[in-house]
Amino acid sequence: MSEQDRAAFALERHRIERMLRRFLIPAIPKGARILSVGCGMGSDVLALRDMGFDAWGVDPSRLSFETLPPGASEYFRIGTIEDSPFGKERFDFVYALDVIEHVGCVNFGTVVTPDTASQRVKFISSCLDVLAPGGVLLLTTSNRLCPVDPGHWHRYHWLGKRFAHRRKPGLSIPWSRKNFLVSLGDVRELVAQAGGQDKFDVSSYPTAFYPSLSERKDIVSKAITACLKLLDLAPFIGSPLAPILIVKITRLD
């Protein structure tokens, strides 16, 4: 691993550890076997393992054995979840952070294709297949129903093209066929098409502590976090007012 790779990995590891403690760990059942789908450089998996969790990861592109610390590669698989990289192994807690919106898009980006919908059904089906009885799948994404996207810039409309060089957040068109995001209803439909309509419970999960700004102490960050806490209340959670969507899918059998 080069010095540049080490520096990038250390920075990512520091960021991920804070997110894990603030957001993800409270959602993980005690003693759960964990799978990170789309784990990137794998810093989340290694951090969880250092904390005593039985964590594993899979990623199709950014993950490489060369960027992992010596001996760590055994906890990872290179490929997609649709490739069934873990065979018949099952996990109690599976999560995919900001992955679903890129599934089925060109080069895992933000441009949809005629096969995007079917590819997402395969993705959801594969994630559900690795869940143990009573297991949980957690998905995070920007909310398709909300016209403000904190994570991406949308270039399929004239305003997006005009200001593509600007920093996020971006503006989306919720009803556009070129919108690559998903809503709670979309996820429910994907689960139904994957054959899990009666086997899984699909619900919204609180979002306030997922963004990194939730740990900041400045007035703007505190104000945004307070707004997200408000939007986590019914009937706002998962609504067009909520820019972030987190979906919890629980296996019922």
Side-chain angles (χ1 to χ4, degrees):
M1 184 188 298
S2 68
E3 289 298 326
Q4 185 176 1
D5 287 337
R6 288 193 184 94
F9 189 87
L11 182 62
E12 176 73 1
R13 174 70 179 261
H14 180 63
R15 183 187 69 82
I16 286 293
E17 284 184 352
R18 291 181 297 174
M19 181 277 294
L20 291 174
R21 296 184 186 278
R22 184 181 64 254
F23 164 72
L24 197 62
I25 289 178
I28 300 176
K30 185 177 181 180
R33 191 164 190 251
I34 304 165
L35 175 61
S36 173
V37 178
C39 63
M41 291 187 288
S43 53
D44 58 331
V45 175
L46 297 181
L48 285 169
R49 296 197 72 89
D50 287 347
M51 296 175 193
F53 292 94
D54 184 15
W56 301 74
V58 59
D59 192 272
S61 56
R62 288 203 303 151
L63 178 64
S64 68
F65 294 130
E66 290 77 17
T67 60
L68 292 171
S73 60
E74 63 180 296
Y75 307 119
F76 298 91
R77 303 290 184 272
I78 297 180
T80 67
I81 190 66
E82 296 92 327
D83 297 328
S84 300
F86 293 93
K88 296 183 178 180
E89 296 182 58
R90 295 295 177 264
F91 299 85
D92 306 294
F93 189 85
V94 179
Y95 65 91
L97 305 183
D98 302 330
V99 173
I100 182 66
E101 67 266 38
H102 303 295
V103 172
C105 293
V106 177
N107 296 325
F108 296 100
T110 60
V111 179
V112 297
T113 73
D115 297 326
T116 296
S118 61
Q119 291 299 317
R120 288 178 176 176
V121 172
K122 292 179 182 178
F123 174 78
I124 289 292
S125 178
S126 299
C127 289
L128 298 179
D129 284 345
V130 299
L131 279 183
V136 168
L137 168 63
L138 205 67
L139 306 173
T140 70
T141 181
S142 298
N143 184 8
R144 180 178 63 80
L145 298 182
C146 182
V148 177
D149 182 350
H152 314 85
W153 196 260
H154 293 240
R155 296 178 173 85
Y156 51 83
H157 53 82
W158 72 269
L159 193 61
K161 293 177 181 178
R162 173 66 178 81
F163 295 100
H165 62 286
R166 299 292 182 89
R167 297 183 64 182
K168 303 163 189 174
L171 298 176
S172 73
I173 301 178
W175 57 86
S176 174
R177 293 183 178 180
K178 295 182 179 180
N179 193 328
F180 51 91
L181 304 178
V182 298
S183 66
L184 178 61
D186 293 332
V187 176
R188 285 191 170 126
E189 179 61 25
L190 291 172
V191 172
Q193 290 185 33
Q197 187 170 11
D198 300 323
K199 301 177 183 178
F200 298 89
D201 176 71
V202 183
S203 61
S204 293
Y205 189 83
T207 66
F209 296 108
Y210 179 54
S212 59
L213 58 80
S214 66
E215 68 177 356
R216 300 174 189 169
K217 305 301 181 182
D218 60 278
I219 294 177
V220 174
S221 296
K222 287 183 176 180
I224 294 176
T225 300
C227 289
L228 290 176
K229 288 182 179 179
L230 177 62
L231 293 172
D232 281 339
L233 301 175
F236 304 120
I237 190 168
S239 77
L241 296 176
I244 299 173
L245 177 67
I246 302 179
V247 183
K248 181 180 180 181
I249 305 173
T250 305
R251 190 176 192 119
L252 300 177
D253 55 357

